[in-house]
Coordinates of all heavy atoms in Angstrom, one line a residue:
M1 N 0.9 -1.2 0.0 CA 0.0 0.0 0.1 C 0.9 1.2 0.0 O 0.6 2.2 0.7 CB -1.0 0.0 1.2 CG -2.1 -1.0 1.1 SD -3.3 -0.9 2.3 CE -2.5 -1.4 3.8
E2 N 1.9 1.2 -0.8 CA 2.9 2.3 -0.7 C 2.2 3.6 -1.2 O 2.5 4.7 -0.6 CB 4.0 1.9 -1.7 CG 5.1 3.0 -1.7 CD 6.4 2.6 -2.6 OE1 6.6 1.4 -2.6 OE2 6.9 3.4 -3.2
M3 N 1.4 3.6 -2.3 CA 0.8 4.8 -2.8 C -0.3 5.3 -1.7 O -0.4 6.5 -1.5 CB 0.3 4.7 -4.1 CG 1.4 4.4 -5.2 SD 0.6 4.3 -6.7 CE 1.9 3.3 -7.6
I4 N -1.0 4.4 -1.1 CA -2.0 4.8 -0.3 C -1.4 5.4 1.0 O -1.9 6.5 1.5 CB -2.8 3.6 0.2 CG1 -3.6 3.0 -0.8 CG2 -3.6 3.8 1.5 CD1 -4.4 1.7 -0.6
N5 N -0.3 5.0 1.4 CA 0.4 5.6 2.6 C 0.9 7.0 2.3 O 1.2 7.7 3.3 CB 1.6 4.7 3.1 CG 1.1 3.4 3.7 OD1 0.1 3.3 4.3 ND2 1.9 2.3 3.6
Q6 N 1.0 7.3 1.0 CA 1.5 8.8 0.7 C 0.3 9.8 0.8 O 0.5 10.9 0.6 CB 2.1 8.8 -0.6 CG 3.4 8.0 -0.8 CD 4.0 8.0 -2.1 OE1 3.8 8.7 -2.9 NE2 5.0 7.0 -2.2
L7 N -0.9 9.3 0.8 CA -2.1 10.1 0.8 C -2.0 11.1 2.1 O -1.7 10.4 3.2 CB -3.4 9.4 0.8 CG -3.7 8.7 -0.6 CD1 -5.0 7.8 -0.4 CD2 -3.9 9.6 -1.7
Q8 N -2.3 12.3 2.0 CA -2.2 13.2 3.1 C -3.5 13.3 4.0 O -3.4 13.4 5.1 CB -1.9 14.6 2.6 CG -0.5 14.7 2.0 CD 0.6 14.3 2.8 OE1 0.7 14.8 3.9 NE2 1.5 13.3 2.4
D9 N -4.7 13.2 3.3 CA -5.9 13.3 3.9 C -6.3 12.0 4.7 O -6.3 10.9 4.0 CB -7.0 13.7 2.9 CG -8.4 13.9 3.6 OD1 -8.6 14.9 4.2 OD2 -9.2 13.0 3.5
G10 N -6.6 12.1 5.9 CA -6.9 10.9 6.7 C -8.1 10.2 6.3 O -8.0 8.8 6.3
K11 N -9.2 10.8 5.9 CA -10.3 10.1 5.5 C -10.1 9.4 4.2 O -10.7 8.3 4.0 CB -11.5 11.1 5.4 CG -12.1 11.6 6.8 CD -13.2 12.4 6.6 CE -13.7 12.9 8.0 NZ -14.9 13.8 7.8
T12 N -9.6 10.1 3.2 CA -9.3 9.6 1.9 C -8.3 8.3 2.0 O -8.5 7.3 1.5 CB -8.5 10.5 1.0 OG1 -9.3 11.7 0.9 CG2 -8.2 10.0 -0.4
K13 N -7.2 8.4 3.1 CA -6.4 7.3 3.2 C -7.1 6.1 3.8 O -6.9 5.0 3.4 CB -5.3 7.7 4.2 CG -4.2 6.6 4.3 CD -3.1 7.0 5.4 CE -2.2 8.1 4.8 NZ -1.1 8.4 5.6
A14 N -7.9 6.3 4.7 CA -8.7 5.2 5.4 C -9.6 4.6 4.4 O -9.7 3.3 4.4 CB -9.5 5.7 6.6
F15 N -10.3 5.4 3.6 CA -11.2 4.7 2.6 C -10.4 4.0 1.5 O -10.8 2.9 1.1 CB -12.1 5.8 2.0 CG -13.1 5.2 1.0 CD1 -14.0 4.3 1.3 CD2 -13.0 5.7 -0.4 CE1 -14.8 3.7 0.3 CE2 -13.8 5.2 -1.3 CZ -14.8 4.1 -0.9
A16 N -9.3 4.5 1.2 CA -8.3 3.8 0.2 C -7.9 2.4 0.7 O -7.9 1.5 -0.1 CB -7.1 4.7 -0.2
K17 N -7.6 2.4 2.0 CA -7.1 1.2 2.6 C -8.3 0.2 2.6 O -8.1 -1.0 2.3 CB -6.6 1.4 4.0 CG -5.2 2.0 4.0 CD -4.8 2.2 5.4 CE -3.4 2.8 5.5 NZ -2.8 3.0 6.9
H18 N -9.5 0.7 2.9 CA -10.7 -0.2 2.9 C -10.8 -0.8 1.5 O -11.2 -1.9 1.3 CB -11.8 0.7 3.3 CG -13.2 0.1 3.0 ND1 -13.7 -1.0 3.8 CD2 -14.1 0.4 2.0 CE1 -15.0 -1.3 3.3 NE2 -15.1 -0.6 2.2
C19 N -10.9 0.2 0.4 CA -11.1 -0.4 -0.8 C -10.0 -1.4 -1.4 O -10.3 -2.4 -2.0 CB -10.9 0.9 -1.9 SG -12.3 2.1 -1.8
F20 N -8.7 -1.1 -0.9 CA -7.6 -2.0 -1.3 C -7.9 -3.4 -0.7 O -7.7 -4.4 -1.3 CB -6.3 -1.4 -0.8 CG -5.2 -2.2 -1.1 CD1 -4.5 -2.3 -2.3 CD2 -4.6 -3.2 -0.3 CE1 -3.4 -3.1 -2.6 CE2 -3.5 -3.9 -0.6 CZ -2.9 -3.9 -1.8
E21 N -8.2 -3.5 0.5 CA -8.5 -4.7 1.2 C -9.8 -5.4 0.9 O -9.8 -6.7 0.9 CB -8.4 -4.5 2.8 CG -7.0 -4.0 3.3 CD -7.0 -3.4 4.6 OE1 -8.2 -3.4 5.3 OE2 -6.0 -3.1 5.1
R22 N -10.7 -4.7 0.5 CA -12.0 -5.3 0.3 C -12.4 -5.6 -1.2 O -13.1 -6.6 -1.5 CB -13.2 -4.3 0.8 CG -14.6 -4.9 0.7 CD -15.5 -4.2 1.5 NE -16.8 -4.7 1.2 CZ -18.0 -4.2 1.4 NH1 -18.0 -2.9 1.8 NH2 -19.2 -4.8 1.1
Y23 N -11.9 -4.9 -2.1 CA -12.2 -5.0 -3.5 C -11.1 -5.4 -4.4 O -9.9 -5.2 -4.2 CB -12.7 -3.7 -4.1 CG -13.9 -3.1 -3.4 CD1 -13.8 -2.0 -2.6 CD2 -15.1 -3.8 -3.4 CE1 -15.0 -1.6 -1.9 CE2 -16.3 -3.3 -2.8 CZ -16.2 -2.2 -2.0 OH -17.3 -1.7 -1.3
S24 N -11.4 -6.2 -5.4 CA -10.4 -6.8 -6.4 C -10.1 -5.7 -7.3 O -10.8 -4.6 -7.4 CB -11.0 -7.9 -7.2 OG -12.0 -7.4 -8.1
P25 N -8.9 -5.7 -8.0 CA -8.5 -4.7 -9.0 C -9.7 -4.6 -10.1 O -10.0 -3.4 -10.4 CB -7.3 -5.2 -9.7 CG -6.7 -6.2 -8.7 CD -7.8 -6.8 -7.9
E26 N -10.3 -5.6 -10.5 CA -11.4 -5.6 -11.4 C -12.5 -4.7 -10.9 O -13.1 -3.9 -11.6 CB -11.8 -7.0 -11.8 CG -10.8 -7.8 -12.5 CD -9.6 -8.4 -11.6 OE1 -9.9 -8.5 -10.4 OE2 -8.6 -8.7 -12.2
E27 N -12.9 -5.0 -9.7 CA -14.0 -4.2 -9.1 C -13.6 -2.8 -8.9 O -14.5 -1.9 -9.3 CB -14.3 -4.8 -7.7 CG -15.0 -6.1 -7.7 CD -15.1 -6.7 -6.3 OE1 -14.1 -6.7 -5.5 OE2 -16.2 -7.2 -6.1
L28 N -12.5 -2.5 -8.6 CA -12.0 -1.0 -8.4 C -12.0 -0.3 -9.8 O -12.3 0.9 -9.9 CB -10.6 -0.9 -7.8 CG -10.6 -1.3 -6.3 CD1 -9.2 -1.4 -5.8 CD2 -11.3 -0.4 -5.4
N29 N -11.5 -1.1 -10.8 CA -11.4 -0.5 -12.2 C -12.8 -0.2 -12.6 O -13.1 0.9 -13.2 CB -10.8 -1.5 -13.1 CG -10.4 -0.8 -14.3 OD1 -9.8 0.2 -14.4 ND2 -10.6 -1.5 -15.5
A30 N -13.8 -1.1 -12.4 CA -15.2 -0.9 -12.8 C -15.7 0.4 -12.1 O -16.5 1.2 -12.5 CB -16.1 -2.1 -12.6
A31 N -15.4 0.4 -10.8 CA -16.0 1.6 -9.9 C -15.4 2.8 -10.4 O -16.1 3.9 -10.4 CB -15.5 1.3 -8.4
S32 N -14.1 2.9 -10.8 CA -13.4 4.1 -11.2 C -14.0 4.7 -12.5 O -13.9 5.8 -12.7 CB -12.0 3.9 -11.3 OG -11.6 3.0 -12.5
E33 N -14.7 3.8 -13.3 CA -15.3 4.3 -14.5 C -16.6 4.8 -14.4 O -17.2 5.3 -15.3 CB -15.2 3.0 -15.5 CG -13.9 2.6 -15.9 CD -13.8 1.4 -16.8 OE1 -14.9 0.8 -17.1 OE2 -12.7 1.0 -17.2
G34 N -17.2 4.6 -13.2 CA -18.6 5.0 -12.9 C -18.6 6.1 -12.1 O -17.6 6.8 -11.8
A35 N -19.8 6.5 -11.6 CA -20.0 7.7 -10.7 C -19.5 7.2 -9.2 O -19.7 6.0 -8.9 CB -21.4 8.1 -10.8
P36 N -19.0 8.2 -8.4 CA -18.8 7.9 -7.0 C -20.0 7.4 -6.3 O -21.2 7.7 -6.7 CB -18.4 9.2 -6.4 CG -17.9 10.1 -7.6 CD -18.7 9.6 -8.8
D37 N -19.7 6.4 -5.5 CA -20.8 5.7 -4.7 C -21.3 6.6 -3.6 O -20.6 6.9 -2.6 CB -20.2 4.4 -4.1 CG -21.3 3.6 -3.4 OD1 -21.9 4.0 -2.5 OD2 -21.7 2.5 -3.9
Q38 N -22.6 7.1 -3.7 CA -23.2 8.0 -2.7 C -23.2 7.5 -1.3 O -23.0 8.1 -0.4 CB -24.5 8.5 -3.2 CG -24.6 9.2 -4.5 CD -23.8 10.5 -4.6 OE1 -23.8 11.2 -3.5 NE2 -23.1 10.8 -5.5
D39 N -23.6 6.2 -1.3 CA -23.7 5.6 0.1 C -22.3 5.5 0.8 O -22.2 5.7 2.0 CB -24.2 4.1 -0.1 CG -25.8 4.2 -0.4 OD1 -26.3 5.2 -0.2 OD2 -26.2 3.1 -1.0
E40 N -21.4 5.1 0.0 CA -20.0 5.0 0.6 C -19.5 6.4 1.0 O -18.8 6.6 2.0 CB -19.0 4.4 -0.4 CG -19.2 2.9 -0.4 CD -18.1 2.2 -1.4 OE1 -17.6 2.8 -2.3 OE2 -17.7 1.1 -0.9
M41 N -19.8 7.4 0.2 CA -19.3 8.7 0.4 C -20.0 9.3 1.7 O -19.4 9.8 2.6 CB -19.8 9.7 -0.7 CG -18.9 9.6 -1.8 SD -19.6 10.5 -3.3 CE -19.9 12.1 -2.8
A42 N -21.3 8.9 1.9 CA -22.0 9.3 3.2 C -21.4 8.6 4.4 O -21.1 9.1 5.4 CB -23.5 9.0 3.0
H43 N -21.2 7.3 4.3 CA -20.7 6.5 5.3 C -19.3 6.9 5.8 O -19.2 7.1 6.9 CB -20.6 5.0 4.9 CG -20.0 4.1 5.9 ND1 -20.8 3.7 7.1 CD2 -18.8 3.6 6.1 CE1 -20.0 3.0 7.8 NE2 -18.8 2.9 7.3
W44 N -18.4 7.2 4.8 CA -17.1 7.6 5.1 C -16.9 9.2 5.3 O -15.8 9.6 5.7 CB -16.1 7.1 4.0 CG -15.9 5.6 4.1 CD1 -16.8 4.7 3.4 CD2 -15.0 4.8 4.8 NE1 -16.4 3.4 3.8 CE2 -15.2 3.6 4.5 CE3 -13.9 5.2 5.6 CZ2 -14.4 2.6 5.1 CZ3 -13.1 4.3 6.1 CH2 -13.4 2.9 5.9
E45 N -18.0 9.9 5.1 CA -18.0 11.3 5.2 C -16.9 11.9 4.3 O -16.0 12.7 4.7 CB -17.8 11.8 6.6 CG -19.0 11.3 7.5 CD -18.8 11.7 9.0 OE1 -17.7 12.2 9.4 OE2 -19.8 11.6 9.7
I46 N -17.0 11.5 3.0 CA -15.8 12.1 2.1 C -16.6 12.6 0.9 O -17.8 12.4 0.6 CB -14.9 10.9 1.5 CG1 -15.7 9.8 0.9 CG2 -14.0 10.5 2.7 CD1 -14.9 8.7 0.4
T47 N -15.9 13.5 0.1 CA -16.4 14.1 -1.1 C -16.3 13.2 -2.3 O -15.5 12.2 -2.2 CB -15.7 15.4 -1.4 OG1 -14.4 15.1 -1.6 CG2 -15.7 16.4 -0.1
A48 N -16.8 13.5 -3.4 CA -16.7 12.8 -4.7 C -15.2 12.8 -5.1 O -14.7 11.7 -5.5 CB -17.5 13.4 -5.8
G49 N -14.5 13.9 -4.9 CA -13.1 13.9 -5.2 C -12.2 13.0 -4.2 O -11.4 12.4 -4.9
Q50 N -12.6 13.0 -3.0 CA -11.9 12.0 -2.1 C -12.1 10.6 -2.5 O -11.2 9.8 -2.5 CB -12.3 12.3 -0.7 CG -11.7 13.5 -0.1 CD -12.4 13.9 1.2 OE1 -13.6 14.0 1.3 NE2 -11.5 14.2 2.2
W51 N -13.5 10.3 -2.8 CA -13.8 9.0 -3.2 C -13.0 8.5 -4.5 O -12.4 7.5 -4.5 CB -15.3 8.9 -3.6 CG -15.8 7.5 -3.8 CD1 -16.3 6.7 -2.9 CD2 -15.9 6.8 -5.1 NE1 -16.7 5.5 -3.5 CE2 -16.5 5.6 -4.9 CE3 -15.5 7.2 -6.4 CZ2 -16.7 4.7 -5.9 CZ3 -15.7 6.3 -7.4 CH2 -16.3 5.2 -7.2
E52 N -13.0 9.5 -5.5 CA -12.2 9.1 -6.7 C -10.7 8.9 -6.5 O -10.2 8.0 -7.0 CB -12.4 10.2 -7.7 CG -13.9 10.3 -8.3 CD -14.3 11.5 -9.1 OE1 -13.4 12.4 -9.1 OE2 -15.3 11.5 -9.6
E53 N -10.1 9.7 -5.6 CA -8.7 9.7 -5.4 C -8.5 8.3 -4.6 O -7.5 7.6 -4.9 CB -8.3 10.8 -4.5 CG -6.8 10.8 -4.2 CD -6.3 12.0 -3.4 OE1 -7.3 12.7 -2.8 OE2 -5.2 12.2 -3.4
A54 N -9.3 7.9 -3.7 CA -9.0 6.8 -2.9 C -9.2 5.5 -3.8 O -8.3 4.6 -3.7 CB -10.1 6.7 -1.8
V55 N -10.2 5.4 -4.6 CA -10.4 4.3 -5.5 C -9.2 4.1 -6.5 O -8.7 3.1 -6.7 CB -11.7 4.5 -6.3 CG1 -11.8 3.4 -7.4 CG2 -13.0 4.3 -5.3
A56 N -8.8 5.3 -7.1 CA -7.6 5.3 -8.1 C -6.4 4.9 -7.3 O -5.6 4.2 -7.9 CB -7.6 6.7 -8.7
T57 N -6.2 5.4 -6.1 CA -4.9 5.0 -5.4 C -5.0 3.5 -5.0 O -3.9 2.8 -5.1 CB -4.8 5.9 -4.2 OG1 -4.8 7.3 -4.5 CG2 -3.5 5.7 -3.5
A58 N -6.0 3.0 -4.6 CA -6.2 1.6 -4.3 C -6.0 0.7 -5.4 O -5.2 -0.3 -5.4 CB -7.6 1.2 -3.6
L59 N -6.5 1.2 -6.6 CA -6.3 0.5 -7.8 C -4.8 0.4 -8.3 O -4.2 -0.5 -8.6 CB -7.2 1.0 -9.0 CG -7.1 0.3 -10.2 CD1 -7.4 -1.2 -10.3 CD2 -7.9 1.0 -11.3
A60 N -4.2 1.6 -8.1 CA -2.7 1.8 -8.4 C -1.9 0.8 -7.6 O -0.9 0.2 -8.0 CB -2.3 3.2 -8.3
D61 N -2.2 0.8 -6.3 CA -1.4 -0.1 -5.4 C -1.6 -1.6 -5.8 O -0.8 -2.3 -5.7 CB -1.8 0.1 -3.9 CG -0.9 1.2 -3.3 OD1 0.2 1.4 -3.8 OD2 -1.3 1.8 -2.2
H62 N -2.9 -2.0 -6.2 CA -3.1 -3.4 -6.6 C -2.2 -3.7 -7.8 O -1.6 -4.6 -7.9 CB -4.5 -3.6 -7.0 CG -5.4 -4.1 -5.8 ND1 -5.2 -5.3 -5.2 CD2 -6.5 -3.5 -5.2 CE1 -6.1 -5.5 -4.3 NE2 -6.9 -4.5 -4.2
K63 N -2.2 -2.7 -8.8 CA -1.4 -2.8 -10.0 C 0.1 -2.9 -9.8 O 0.8 -3.7 -10.4 CB -1.7 -1.8 -11.0 CG -3.2 -1.9 -11.7 CD -3.3 -0.8 -12.6 CE -4.7 -1.0 -13.3 NZ -5.0 0.1 -14.3
A64 N 0.5 -2.2 -8.8 CA 2.0 -2.2 -8.4 C 2.3 -3.6 -7.8 O 3.4 -4.0 -8.0 CB 2.3 -1.1 -7.4
Q65 N 1.5 -4.2 -7.1 CA 1.8 -5.5 -6.4 C 1.6 -6.6 -7.6 O 2.2 -7.6 -7.3 CB 0.8 -5.8 -5.3 CG 1.1 -4.9 -4.1 CD 0.3 -5.3 -3.0 OE1 -0.7 -6.1 -3.1 NE2 0.7 -4.9 -1.8
G66 N 0.9 -6.4 -8.6 CA 0.6 -7.5 -9.5 C 1.8 -7.7 -10.4 O 2.3 -8.5 -11.0

């Protein structure tokens, strides 16, 4: 999770770690192509920008490990 650990915002970092641990690269790739998940944004108290950054960072870390 090297790229996730570089995130400065605590909420974005926490959500990115959650995404990395819970979702496969394929799921994250599909999510990144769609609209931010409103339910996750509300639950994690993050903005659409934070959601997109977290998903993209989690996906990048998966690809770096692959």
